[in-house]
């Protein structure tokens, strides 16, 4: 199979080629290294009791309580005193349960995906080269070792995973791309071109031998032959686009550092991304040659954006604000929704159905809507978990997870 010339990107000119060769069977390319002291505690001087002229009244004699009976009564009293707390805790965790993982403290969980043909079989990714596997629907997880990802002394951050049928893809940083066609039993490493602009942050399995991948500099590629060749969907990086449009009134574009903070894909292939400083956002639709930058209509900086179940956009700002776009599709017109975030930042939103969605954020904040996002109530399931919750993922209406730092994983019970 003949290979095409590698795709070249510059910040001022469009790419001159429409294909980039990722996979070379003869000579793999090298990888590129591109988060009041209480009075009771004070000492008191002992004073003997004063003498009294009257004789003390005799006290009734009591038999000493047997030790076994005393312990039984004590245990019953403790259980009685704790029972309201236990019941309250169970009520608070009625929607979610915490799954304890066999990983080091400090690992940030980043993505999760399940094999469509076997909904009990899934993979969980994170920092510090973390890959975990489950075969019971996420109730228990075991570390998974992939030899092709351990050949070099890199501590990979696995950013994204996606399955379609038995085919699966994983991307990470430093640049690494893994592929399986047997539901994750075996993974092979796909060599990458050193000319790849930016770090891979997202991948989506789109069909047989097909996938779509995005880098943090705005490059979008697609493959239809299992990763041997990749075709560029945009003609330039976001930095180059902004260099051309900086005079068009995009606020803060001159401060753009060239990378995305977040990127999310809709089911029909549209993307929304937030600039690294949170001062504007960008969108892309299939068929467009360039990313389209948009001014934010909110004073506070954007934390994250994504797609609602009805096709509209949700938008999160720093400090715990949540906004919904008016209507469906891409829009710059947003209205705020009242949420009980207690001032903690909301970091992600995941839709379980057309009407029900969950939002998660700092200090274990969990919010729920049952009317498509028009109103939200706070769920106290994670109030006692000292972690930031970064991602909400629903595989379907019955299977959902919340991913956080320090290896915190919540599983939806429904």
């Amino acid at each position: 199979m003949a290979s095409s010339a590698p795709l070249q990107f510059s910040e001022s000119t469009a790419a001159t080629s429409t294909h980039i060769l990722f996979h070379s069977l003869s000579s793999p390319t090298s990888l590129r290294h591109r988060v009041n002291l209480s009075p009771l505690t004070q000492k008191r001087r002992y004073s003997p009791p004063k003498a009294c002229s009257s004789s003390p009244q005799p006290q009734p004699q009591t038999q000493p309580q047997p030790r076994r009976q005393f312990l039984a009564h004590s245990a019953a009293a403790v259980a009685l005193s704790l029972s309201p707390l236990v019941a309250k805790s169970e009520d608070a965790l009625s929607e979610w349960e915490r799954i304890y993982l066999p990983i080091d403290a400090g690992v940030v969980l980043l993505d999760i995906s399940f094999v469509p043909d076997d909904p009990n079989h899934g993979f969980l990714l994170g920092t510090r080269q973390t890959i975990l596997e489950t075969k019971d629907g996420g109730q228990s997880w075991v570390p998974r070792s992939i030899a092709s990802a351990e050949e070099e002394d890199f501590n990979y951050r696995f950013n994204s995973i996606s399955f379609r049928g038995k085919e699966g893809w994983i991307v990470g940083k430093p640049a690494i791309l893994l592929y399986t066609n047997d539901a994750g039993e075996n993974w092979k490493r796909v060599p990458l071109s050193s000319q790849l602009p930016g770090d891979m942050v997202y991948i989506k399995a789109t069909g047989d031998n097909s996938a779509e991948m995005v880098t943090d500099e705005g490059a979008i590629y697609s493959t239809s032959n299992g990763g041997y060749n990749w075709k560029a969907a945009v003609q330039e990086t976001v930095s180059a686009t902004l260099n051309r449009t900086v005079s068009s009134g995009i606020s803060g574009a001159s401060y753009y550092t060239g990378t995305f903070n977040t990127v999310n894909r809709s089911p029909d292939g549209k993307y929304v991304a937030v600039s690294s400083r949170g001062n504007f956002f960008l969108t892309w639709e299939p068929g467009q040659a360039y990313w389209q930058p948009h001014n934010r209509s909110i004073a506070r900086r954007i934390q994250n954006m994504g797609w609602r179940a009805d096709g509209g956009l949700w938008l999160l700002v720093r400090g715990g604000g949540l906004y919904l776009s008016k209507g469906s599709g891409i829009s710059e017109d947003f209205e705020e929704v009242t949420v009980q975030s207690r001032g903690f930042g909301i970091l992600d939103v995941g839709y379980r159905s057309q009407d029900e969605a969950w939002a998660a954020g700092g200090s274990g904040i969990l919010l729920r809507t049952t009317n498509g996002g028009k109103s939200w109530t706070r769920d106290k399931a994670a109030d006692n978990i000292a972690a930031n919750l970064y991602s909400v993922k629903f595989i379907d209406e019955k299977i959902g997870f919340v991913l956080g730092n320090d290896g915190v994983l919540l599983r939806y019970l429904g």
Side-chain angles (χ1 to χ4, degrees), residues 265-339:
R265 186 183 190 273
S266 70
D268 57 354
K270 296 191 292 285
Y271 285 94
V272 60
V274 178
S275 70
S276 54
R277 291 171 59 91
N279 45 7
F280 61 93
F281 68 96
L282 308 102
T283 58
W284 180 84
E285 299 183 62
Q288 292 182 340
Y290 313 102
W291 285 86
Q292 307 297 314
H294 303 268
N295 279 315
R296 74 183 193 272
S297 58
I298 298 95
R300 286 180 287 175
R301 294 185 183 272
I302 306 172
Q303 185 77 51
N304 195 3
M305 293 181 69
W307 304 91
R308 303 196 304 264
D310 63 2
L313 290 167
W314 51 261
L315 182 150
L316 306 174
V317 297
R318 299 177 187 179
L322 189 155
Y323 293 76
L324 301 178
S325 65
K326 296 180 180 180
S328 60
I330 296 172
S331 173
E332 296 181 7
D333 191 6
F334 289 81
E335 56 185 357
E336 187 173 10
V337 179
T338 302
V339 293

Side-chain angles (χ1 to χ4, degrees), residues 8-318:
Q8 300 286 340
F9 274 104
S10 67
E11 295 192 356
S12 58
T13 61
T16 59
S17 172
T18 59
H19 290 74
I20 181 168
L21 180 63
F22 276 67
H23 189 202
S24 172
L25 295 179
S26 58
S27 57
T29 55
S30 60
L31 293 176
R32 183 176 59 176
H33 297 273
R34 280 278 223 220
V35 182
N36 78 37
L37 179 65
S38 170
L40 295 178
T41 64
Q42 300 175 2
K43 294 182 179 180
R44 295 182 177 180
R45 179 176 300 174
Y46 171 76
S47 299
K50 297 180 179 180
C52 182
S53 59
S54 59
S55 301
Q57 297 294 325
Q59 299 295 322
Q61 298 295 322
T62 58
Q63 296 295 328
Q65 192 176 22
R67 174 179 173 82
R68 180 176 299 176
Q69 184 178 356
F70 171 77
L71 292 176
H73 289 170
S74 299
V78 171
L80 182 62
S81 64
L82 290 180
S83 58
L85 297 177
V86 173
K88 182 178 180 180
S89 176
E90 290 175 350
D91 289 341
L93 291 172
S94 60
E95 298 285 348
W96 300 87
E97 68 172 348
R98 180 173 181 181
I99 305 297
Y100 289 89
L101 303 174
I103 56 178
D104 296 334
V107 170
V108 179
L109 302 177
L110 297 174
D111 202 8
I112 189 171
S113 184
F114 281 72
V115 180
D117 296 342
D118 183 2
N120 288 322
H121 187 195
F123 292 84
L124 179 62
L125 307 183
T127 59
R128 302 185 185 179
Q129 205 150 321
T130 298
I131 300 180
L132 301 174
E133 185 176 14
T134 181
K135 294 189 176 180
D136 59 9
Q139 299 180 60
S140 62
W141 299 81
V142 295
R144 176 65 189 272
S145 176
I146 298 178
S148 58
E150 298 177 351
E151 296 174 353
E152 303 180 42
D153 295 329
F154 290 136
N155 193 359
Y156 289 105
R157 171 191 176 102
F158 293 116
N159 289 319
S160 181
I161 181 172
S162 179
F163 274 94
R164 180 154 180 162
K166 293 185 177 182
E167 293 186 37
W169 305 81
I170 293 176
V171 295
K173 176 184 178 181
I176 186 170
L177 174 62
L178 302 173
Y179 170 76
T180 180
N181 57 9
D182 57 7
E185 294 301 320
N186 298 281
W187 294 85
K188 71 175 182 179
R189 184 168 178 172
V190 181
L192 298 171
S193 170
S194 60
Q195 299 178 11
L196 181 70
D199 295 309
M200 294 176 293
V201 293
Y202 179 83
I203 195 161
K204 175 69 175 179
T206 55
D208 293 342
N209 297 312
S210 302
E212 195 169 82
M213 183 266 294
V214 184
T215 76
D216 61 359
E217 292 188 13
I220 303 176
Y221 298 105
S222 62
T223 182
S224 58
N225 57 8
Y228 283 88
N229 297 89
W230 296 77
K231 181 180 179 179
V234 294
Q235 296 184 14
E236 62 188 10
T237 62
V238 171
S239 294
T241 298
L242 291 174
N243 285 338
R244 294 189 299 101
T245 62
V246 67
S247 60
S248 64
I250 302 300
S251 177
S254 59
Y255 300 102
Y256 184 67
T257 62
T259 59
F260 290 151
N261 185 34
T262 64
V263 59
N264 282 297
R265 186 183 190 273
S266 70
D268 57 354
K270 296 191 292 285
Y271 285 94
V272 60
V274 178
S275 70
S276 54
R277 291 171 59 91
N279 45 7
F280 61 93
F281 68 96
L282 308 102
T283 58
W284 180 84
E285 299 183 62
Q288 292 182 340
Y290 313 102
W291 285 86
Q292 307 297 314
H294 303 268
N295 279 315
R296 74 183 193 272
S297 58
I298 298 95
R300 286 180 287 175
R301 294 185 183 272
I302 306 172
Q303 185 77 51
N304 195 3
M305 293 181 69
W307 304 91
R308 303 196 304 264
D310 63 2
L313 290 167
W314 51 261
L315 182 150
L316 306 174
V317 297
R318 299 177 187 179

